[in-house]
Amino acid sequence: MMAIQMTGMQQIMQQVNQMGQRINRDVTIKALQQGGNFMRDKVKENVSVLTGDLKASIITSEIENNQIAIGPDQQGDGFYGHILEFGRKPGVVKTGKYKGFKYPGMSPSPFMGPAYENNKEAVERIMANVIKRELKL
């Protein structure tokens, strides 16, 4: 999955731990899910839509190691998200069923990077508010 890494939660967790507070797993999960869902929605708002397949494929991952990933499901119809985000040079398919097929270049049309840059502070605020609310701070 092409994903945005949210580092704000790690910073918030460090700050809270430095204050001597302990956050249980449920609070961490709530904060990551709410922050991740907000960012997922912003990425979906930012993606150009031709068929709707890419937009529909943008998901939040399961939480692992206190991290959540947001991006197109690479197994589904949004497999081409990285090409849209970063562009590609023209080339020729070298193996497989379409060997020899020439494909055109494509200019980047970023949707994930701008969504992240424009909303990272909001996500950090959302996550911090969840933690404060859950810890009654």
Side-chain angles (χ1 to χ4, degrees):
M1 171 189 300
M2 177 179 61
I4 297 172
Q5 281 207 331
M6 298 300 299
T7 57
M9 184 61 183
Q10 291 171 338
Q11 293 166 346
I12 292 168
M13 293 291 289
Q14 287 173 351
Q15 290 172 354
V16 171
N17 284 333
Q18 288 171 355
M19 294 181 339
Q21 298 289 333
R22 297 180 62 112
I23 297 179
N24 66 31
R25 179 108 173 106
D26 291 341
V27 174
T28 302
I29 288 171
K30 282 182 184 180
L32 285 168
Q33 286 174 333
Q34 287 188 26
N37 289 341
F38 176 84
M39 183 58 75
R40 179 203 58 218
D41 294 345
K42 293 301 178 182
V43 170
K44 284 185 173 191
E45 287 174 13
N46 215 30
V47 70
S48 60
V49 177
L50 184 60
T51 65
D53 290 341
L54 179 57
K55 185 175 185 174
S57 77
I58 296 170
I59 59 170
T60 53
S61 71
E62 297 294 321
I63 296 168
E64 282 186 35
N65 300 320
N66 289 333
Q67 294 183 349
I68 192 167
I70 296 100
D73 179 359
Q74 295 298 301
Q75 305 303 313
D77 291 332
F79 66 91
Y80 57 91
H82 65 286
I83 297 171
L84 187 61
E85 181 79 10
F86 302 110
R88 72 168 176 203
K89 294 180 180 178
V92 177
V93 177
K94 296 180 181 168
T95 61
K97 180 177 170 181
Y98 297 103
K99 184 177 179 177
F101 174 78
K102 294 180 182 180
Y103 54 86
M106 186 172 141
S107 297
S109 183
F111 61 98
M112 295 209 28
Y116 172 73
E117 289 301 324
N118 293 332
N119 294 288
K120 62 186 174 182
E121 289 88 8
V123 171
E124 289 175 4
R125 278 193 305 274
I126 288 167
M127 293 167 60
N129 288 338
V130 170
I131 291 168
K132 288 176 186 176
R133 182 181 67 238
E134 293 296 318
L135 294 178
K136 298 176 179 29
L137 297 177

